[in-house]
Amino acid sequence: MKVAVVGAGAIGAYVGAALHRAGADVHLLARGPHLAAMRQHGVQVHSPRGDWTARVHATDRAEDIGPVDHVFLGLKANSYAACGPLVEPLLQDHTSVIAAQNGIPWWYFHRHGGPHDGKRIESVDPGGAVSAVLPQERAIGCVVYAATELDGPGVVRHIEGTRFSIGEPDRSVSKRCLEFSEAMQAGGLKCPVEPDLRNDIWIKLLGNISFNPISALTRATMREMCLHDSTRGVIEQMMAETLAVAEALDCRPEISIERRIAGAERVGDHRTSTLQDLEKGKPLELDVLLSAVVELAGISGVEVPTLRTVAAISDLLAQGTAVAA
């Protein structure tokens, strides 16, 4: 099995290193000092489960890799529309694209069934720009429950979690999903094939849609947001509105708001990825986390006043960050 990791940052390099350890033919696509370090020293993984190093082929040229069986996409979702030159040289007829993204994916209504089947979500696929680069029939969904950070170029710190749930848009348990899942498990990761991954998407989104924008607006950590009564109330309302949208779209995430917030509080003084991007002057990945759900609320006829308010304020912050970048 040949795999290319496009965007081999903290999550991508971690997955690539695990697949390499399982015996897969792995290629990492990266750039800058991070690429140079991986070329010289391999991917160094520091983890509570044990430290290890994977000597994986790394390059900044997709042409050097050629066609693969699976593309693991470690890029932020707001980079998808521009990733054509990175992905196109990797594709052959059967190549799948496994997008490890937060939020609502561009393929959400692909083979969904029901009244919205095939509908494009403008917030995540503006003008069809993402679908043009990443055809929906290639997509395998992926919900990441692992937390990693780059401690330095080529050095991945694994904080917690090893689960990467995957699934087909049409809810089938496909051969290509099983192949990738088996390789991930052989590399020491959990990779269940979920018949309806959309439920997992909404469970993960409950936290991202609330904690991520609020953390960027307040500069607060997970624990601080949970312990501040008024902020916690806003987060609870955002989660309740999100669940109402999910249910209107025939999804029933099996988790309570109380349990979701309690889990976030246990994470402690962790800064969300959106806050980290803000501090680094990077574009904020809020379209797929927040704007998409507001759009879906409009489609499904659900009132989401708190989500709309936070989305409006967050959008102004995101515009300022984009200008600064």
Side-chain angles (χ1 to χ4, degrees):
M1 186 181 81
K2 186 176 180 181
V3 180
V5 177
V6 176
I11 283 290
Y14 180 60
V15 167
L19 289 171
H20 179 269
R21 186 164 62 170
D25 180 13
V26 179
H27 305 264
L28 306 181
L29 202 58
R31 60 185 181 182
H34 183 52
L35 170 61
M38 291 192 293
R39 278 175 163 169
Q40 185 172 0
H41 304 294
V43 178
Q44 300 177 63
V45 178
H46 297 168
S47 170
R49 307 171 75 222
D51 298 346
W52 47 284
T53 299
R55 297 281 181 176
V56 188
H57 173 245
T59 180
D60 58 358
R61 285 174 42 85
E63 295 82 1
D64 293 343
I65 300 172
V68 299
D69 299 307
H70 303 282
V71 173
F72 185 87
L73 208 56
L75 300 170
K76 294 280 189 178
N78 49 19
S79 300
Y80 286 2
C83 75
L86 300 177
V87 173
E88 288 170 8
L90 308 172
L91 302 180
Q92 53 187 324
D93 288 346
H94 68 274
T95 304
S96 73
V97 175
I98 302 162
Q101 70 161 97
N102 289 322
I104 300 295
W106 82 101
W107 54 262
Y108 188 86
F109 285 125
H110 177 59
R111 296 188 176 179
H112 179 275
H116 305 303
D117 188 67
K119 186 174 184 62
R120 179 169 54 81
I121 305 171
E122 184 68 21
S123 301
V124 300
D125 191 10
V130 176
S131 294
V133 173
L134 305 171
Q136 294 182 353
E137 60 270 16
R138 294 188 183 275
I140 291 176
C142 179
V143 178
V144 178
Y145 293 96
T148 60
E149 291 181 0
L150 285 179
D151 267 354
V155 181
V156 176
R157 179 163 64 93
H158 171 229
I159 301 168
E160 63 173 358
T162 59
R163 182 179 164 194
F164 294 76
S165 297
I166 63 173
E168 292 282 0
D170 67 359
R171 303 176 180 86
S172 65
V173 179
S174 65
K175 180 180 178 181
R176 63 181 187 171
C177 276
L178 292 172
E179 176 186 58
F180 188 79
S181 171
E182 289 169 4
M184 291 279 277
Q185 292 179 68
L189 304 179
K190 297 176 182 177
C191 189
V193 179
E194 299 290 351
D196 195 345
L197 191 71
R198 291 176 181 87
N199 284 324
D200 283 63
I201 288 171
W202 286 102
I203 289 172
K204 179 78 181 292
L205 183 57
L206 272 186
N208 291 143
I209 199 173
S210 51
F211 289 110
N212 286 53
I214 295 295
S215 70
L217 291 166
T218 64
R219 311 303 199 270
T221 66
M222 299 288 280
R223 184 183 65 84
E224 290 168 341
M225 288 182 282
C226 291
L227 295 180
H228 189 269
D229 288 344
S230 298
T231 303
R232 186 186 184 111
V234 172
I235 288 170
E236 289 173 348
Q237 186 58 36
M238 293 177 75
M239 289 186 176
E241 291 176 5
T242 301
L243 284 176
V245 176
E247 290 172 2
L249 295 173
D250 295 324
C251 271
R252 302 288 187 273
E254 295 183 0
I255 191 167
S256 69
I257 291 173
E258 293 77 12
R259 181 182 169 193
R260 194 69 180 84
I261 292 179
E265 187 175 339
R266 286 194 299 272
V267 173
D269 286 315
H270 172 70
R271 300 180 340 278
T272 69
S273 59
T274 303
L275 177 54
Q276 292 179 48
D277 286 343
L278 179 68
E279 292 172 340
K280 294 173 184 176
K282 294 182 177 180
L284 304 185
E285 190 186 31
L286 292 177
D287 287 343
V288 296
L289 301 182
L290 185 50
S291 301
V293 178
V294 172
E295 183 178 343
L296 290 174
I299 292 170
S300 54
V302 177
E303 295 296 325
V304 289
T306 311
L307 291 179
R308 288 187 183 279
T309 299
V310 175
I313 301 169
S314 300
D315 185 59
L316 179 59
L317 176 65
Q319 285 184 22
T321 305
V323 170

